Amino acid sequence: MARISSYARQKRPGFLVFPQNGERLLAYPEYRAVIDGIAKEDLFYGYEQDNTLTSAEETNFSAEYLDKALKDGMPVLTVDYPTERSKMEDAQRKSRTRGYIPYVSVRALDRFVLNQGPDSARGPAAHKAAVKKTGAGRYATTTAPMGTFRYLGA
């Protein structure tokens, strides 16, 4: 990971490295030193079966490692795939409660899903103001507490 990270940053200064899953590697400080954050799928819903609550044992096991990244000041992104609104809101709430940045989508990830956060009632202007424009076709992360990804489009 160190070689990949170094190579990418040499080619493109500011390049960010966000591995997905593999949170056990966060036990190693030298691994955390070469990444910028981590993403974790199915932390709250879908680990065993889609649209089903992930066991507390599994969530807590993963969170023990994810919290190491958080303590180092790195963002922890969560991606869950529930399809019922109450479960979507629950996944987002649980993620935010732990200090993570939630995203809820469809498992196929074949379309972009704009998540409605707790301050979505403030309207599109609030979302737009919180998103740093990074260029066409790129993703940006809004700041907490909204905790959503926004596609900035072409």
Side-chain angles (χ1 to χ4, degrees):
M1 183 58 79
R3 289 194 334 236
I4 292 170
S5 178
S6 176
Y7 175 83
R9 291 176 178 146
Q10 286 175 1
K11 293 289 184 183
R12 187 172 191 152
F15 187 91
L16 300 176
V17 177
F18 275 76
Q20 180 138 326
N21 302 322
E23 62 274 13
R24 290 180 187 182
L25 293 171
L26 294 169
Y28 302 98
E30 60 273 19
Y31 178 75
R32 295 193 313 269
V34 298
I35 64 172
D36 298 289
I38 188 163
K40 171 63 180 160
E41 288 181 294
D42 303 319
L43 185 62
F44 302 107
Y45 283 89
Y47 183 80
E48 293 290 333
Q49 182 177 343
D50 283 352
N51 215 38
T52 302
L53 190 64
T54 298
S55 73
E57 180 181 14
E58 185 62 39
T59 296
N60 291 333
F61 176 83
S62 293
E64 179 181 336
Y65 294 101
L66 297 172
D67 287 347
K68 292 178 185 303
L70 204 62
K71 287 178 186 171
D72 284 355
M74 287 185 266
V76 174
L77 312 177
T78 61
V79 184
D80 287 281
Y81 305 104
T83 57
E84 298 169 20
R85 178 175 288 283
S86 64
K87 292 178 180 180
M88 292 173 180
E89 291 170 352
D90 185 51
Q92 291 176 337
R93 181 185 50 76
K94 287 177 177 178
S95 185
R96 285 188 188 100
T97 297
R98 290 183 177 264
Y100 307 156
I101 301 169
Y103 181 61
V104 176
S105 188
V106 293
R107 172 123 2 229
L109 296 173
D110 58 353
R111 64 183 177 274
F112 183 74
V113 178
L114 178 61
N115 289 193
Q116 296 298 311
D119 50 358
S120 62
R122 292 179 14 204
H127 287 290
K128 187 175 183 181
V131 175
K132 177 182 177 189
K133 188 167 185 175
T134 60
R138 304 225 180 125
Y139 292 92
T141 305
T142 62
T143 56
M146 290 184 345
T148 63
F149 297 165
R150 288 284 294 233
Y151 179 69
L152 300 177

